[in-house]
Amino acid sequence: MSQFWSDIVHQLDPYVPGEQPQDHRYIKLNTNENPYPPSPKVKSAIQNYPFESLRRYPDPESSALRRALASYLELEPDQVFIGNGSDEVLAHSFQTFFEGRGPILFPDISYSFYPVYCSLYQIDSQPIALDAELCIDLADYRTANGGIIIPNPNAPTGIALGLETIRNLLENTTSVVIIDEAYVDFGAESAVSLVADYPNLLVIQTFSKSRSLAGLRLGYALGQAALIEGLNRVKNSFNSYPIDRLASTAAIACLKDEAYFHQCREQIMLTRDWLKIALTKLGFKVYPSSANFLFVRHASSSAAELYSELKRAGILVRYFKSPRIDNCLRISIGSDEECHALVDSLKLILNNA
Ligand SMILES: Cc1ncc(COP(=O)(O)O)c(C=O)c1O
């Protein structure tokens, strides 16, 4: 608290990310990072980067990376916007498309940064309840609104919507619809193919999860040129150089290693299948996941206690003390070794319960 803060700052309830302990004591299954290192091509691109160029500012338009992404996704460069992590892209999108309109709609159980952007930009919101099985029913979104944002797959549940369901939503609204595809590469269908058909669709993706580059901070939005131009106006009123030279060099190299990308995501999906079976045998209800995490609820043990016991055993998972999900845990898919360690710890904890 300070007399020097503006009114809005007093009212903010900032986002709290999952713990990032600075020592390496923990098996980290709490922030949906990729257990595998970035592509070796990324390593050599960074190692071979001409060091002396760092004295210069980067390209404010991130033109080379935009061209690389456009060609990878079969879009035009003016349909691509790049930001410092998809969190920054989301923040700019809320300000560009949602500020000053009616209430925006998003699931009541969803990415907890959305309400934070709403309070930062003073945007009204109307959370829409997930059903009893924690699924989104897009029929519930056919109500007057100032915009819609849906994570697909949803976080923290991991449950995905099909592409036709999203097309159907777009057919029935003129509001801007943002599909946050942070986890789409782990088994869901991307809405990028719909960009050409819907001028109100913005798809947001990230290099943080399926491409193992959370530490570089790179996210991007895909949409028709008029939407992207709006984002550029906001970005250029905020920070001309959000993407540094090393990050864009690394990202371009990353896009060139398709084989490694598929190898890692397929391994993560295999581990997810194994972990789902192992957790089910231990008495967990495991929600269907198309993401690199599982959302689980134990039949008899409380999530808060399991979270604490796992932490004591050196394993971090995510526990949200929020209505309806305060007895659930979100567990990121780690390496096979990490997931075996998790299951072994859970067996001990549950046997002693
Ligand atoms: C649904 C969702 N969207 C966006 C993000 C932000 O990712 P980043 O800023 O690392 O690109 C996250 C991060 O966990 C997320 O869960």
Side-chain angles (χ1 to χ4, degrees), residues 24 59 259 271 328:
H24 295 286
D59 170 13
T271 308
C328 295

Side-chain angles (χ1 to χ4, degrees), residues 29-30 32 134 156-157 279 284-287 293-298 301-311 315-321 324-332 342 346 349-350:
L29 303 177
N30 67 332
N32 301 337
L134 304 186
T157 64
L279 293 176
F284 285 92
K285 173 182 171 89
V286 181
Y287 288 87
F293 54 83
L294 291 174
F295 201 55
V296 303
R297 183 194 301 266
H298 194 260
S301 292
S302 96
E305 276 166 31
L306 288 174
Y307 161 80
S308 304
E309 291 290 327
L310 283 170
K311 188 168 179 183
I315 301 177
L316 286 179
V317 298
R318 193 81 191 262
Y319 171 62
F320 299 93
K321 211 174 168 188
R324 291 184 72 196
I325 56 166
D326 57 356
N327 211 15
C328 295
L329 294 174
R330 192 196 68 191
I331 303 174
S332 308
L342 168 81
L346 282 170
I349 295 166
L350 293 167

Side-chain angles (χ1 to χ4, degrees), residues 89-104:
V89 178
L90 285 163
H92 288 336
S93 303
F94 271 61
Q95 191 171 27
T96 307
F97 306 115
F98 294 160
E99 205 178 73
R101 302 185 182 270
I104 67 154

Side-chain angles (χ1 to χ4, degrees), residues 15 31-32 84-88 90 111 114 151 153 155 180 182-183 205-209 214 217-219 330:
Y15 177 74
T31 50
N32 301 337
N84 190 267
S86 58
D87 281 338
E88 187 184 82
L90 285 163
Y111 187 33
Y114 302 156
D180 178 353
Y183 302 102
Q205 297 187 347
T206 178
F207 281 83
S208 295
K209 313 293 181 183
R217 311 306 301 126
L218 281 164
R330 192 196 68 191

Side-chain angles (χ1 to χ4, degrees), residues 58-100:
D59 170 13
E61 312 296 332
S62 297
S63 317
L65 179 52
R66 279 184 27 245
R67 274 198 306 274
L69 272 168
S71 121
Y72 183 80
L73 296 163
E74 298 178 5
L75 296 171
E76 295 300 322
D78 65 1
Q79 296 178 314
V80 181
F81 173 84
I82 303 177
N84 190 267
S86 58
D87 281 338
E88 187 184 82
V89 178
L90 285 163
H92 288 336
S93 303
F94 271 61
Q95 191 171 27
T96 307
F97 306 115
F98 294 160
E99 205 178 73

